[in-house]
Amino acid sequence: MIALDAGAAQDLTITYYDVQGENLQELRASLNARGPVGKDGVRHHGHVDWHVGWNYDYAPRGVGCRIGKLRVDVKATMVLPRWTGVDTAPASLQQEWARYSQALRVHEDGHAAHADQAAEEIQRRFTAVGGGMRCAQFGEELNRIGQAVLDEYAARDKQYDDTTEHGATQGARL
């Protein structure tokens, strides 16, 4: 995990699952049978699971409390298909797979971007919390704000899938 500074990248791990097929129908069947299961309980061709966490310290300042050090961490795992028979397939099928794979990656990168955006929003909202609150309440308020941001970006992830039909409108359709 890494601290999120301006312009810093997330800790992204990409894993692959193997698919087989000698034509589009067989590839589709393999993708549908082997793809990762999303949070919705449905099998998809790709998936990103992300987590944003935070650590901070705070200290009394005047009549209230202010944030001191802040660390926001982003960890994401992307799961994508890998076609094991691509080298022996006809050129037209290889090209279709390359187009599809690129479109699927673009779609999944959109999910990964939500993690970065959530981390940046948490950082922004935490640093905007005023100092008029007592320290006993300050930490509770920061954690409430952080969870609200995570909920907001989880909803954005769902809306993104609904809007793009899980990437189909972005070309991730085989």
Side-chain angles (χ1 to χ4, degrees):
M1 306 244 282
I2 57 174
L4 182 72
D5 297 318
Q10 66 186 207
D11 178 3
L12 175 65
T13 302
I14 300 175
T15 63
Y16 297 91
Y17 65 96
D18 291 340
V19 295
Q20 293 83 29
E22 295 182 18
N23 56 49
L24 283 176
Q25 292 81 5
E26 290 177 5
L27 280 172
R28 275 190 216 108
S30 189
L31 286 162
N32 292 338
R34 297 175 180 228
V37 175
K39 292 178 182 171
D40 58 2
V42 177
R43 199 170 284 280
H44 299 285
H45 295 181
H47 181 72
V48 173
D49 193 22
W50 55 264
H51 173 78
V52 177
W54 55 86
N55 286 306
Y56 54 82
D57 63 17
Y58 52 86
R61 209 170 265 159
V63 295
C65 202
R66 288 231 176 246
I67 198 162
K69 293 179 187 174
L70 172 61
R71 180 181 169 104
V72 180
D73 298 312
V74 181
K75 186 167 182 68
T77 302
M78 184 181 295
V79 181
L80 296 169
R82 177 178 44 216
W83 182 19
T84 59
V86 69
D87 294 338
T88 60
S92 61
L93 193 53
Q94 288 181 18
Q95 289 171 347
E96 180 61 13
W97 178 260
R99 182 210 55 78
Y100 161 78
S101 295
Q102 182 179 10
L104 182 60
R105 175 63 193 260
V106 165
H107 175 74
E108 298 306 333
D109 281 343
H111 286 294
H114 287 154
D116 285 337
Q117 293 163 6
E120 290 168 6
E121 184 63 15
I122 287 169
Q123 194 171 39
R124 187 188 70 71
R125 289 189 194 179
F126 277 16
T127 56
V129 174
M133 201 176 308
R134 295 176 58 177
C135 287
Q137 300 163 323
F138 192 74
E140 290 176 14
E141 179 64 8
L142 291 178
N143 290 331
R144 186 197 63 74
I145 290 168
Q147 188 58 54
V149 171
L150 293 181
D151 293 345
E152 178 184 326
Y153 279 86
R156 286 186 187 195
D157 253 358
K158 184 179 179 335
Q159 169 101 31
Y160 177 61
D161 275 335
D162 291 346
T163 301
T164 66
E165 298 173 23
H166 292 276
T169 63
Q170 296 167 296
R173 182 180 304 208
L174 191 62

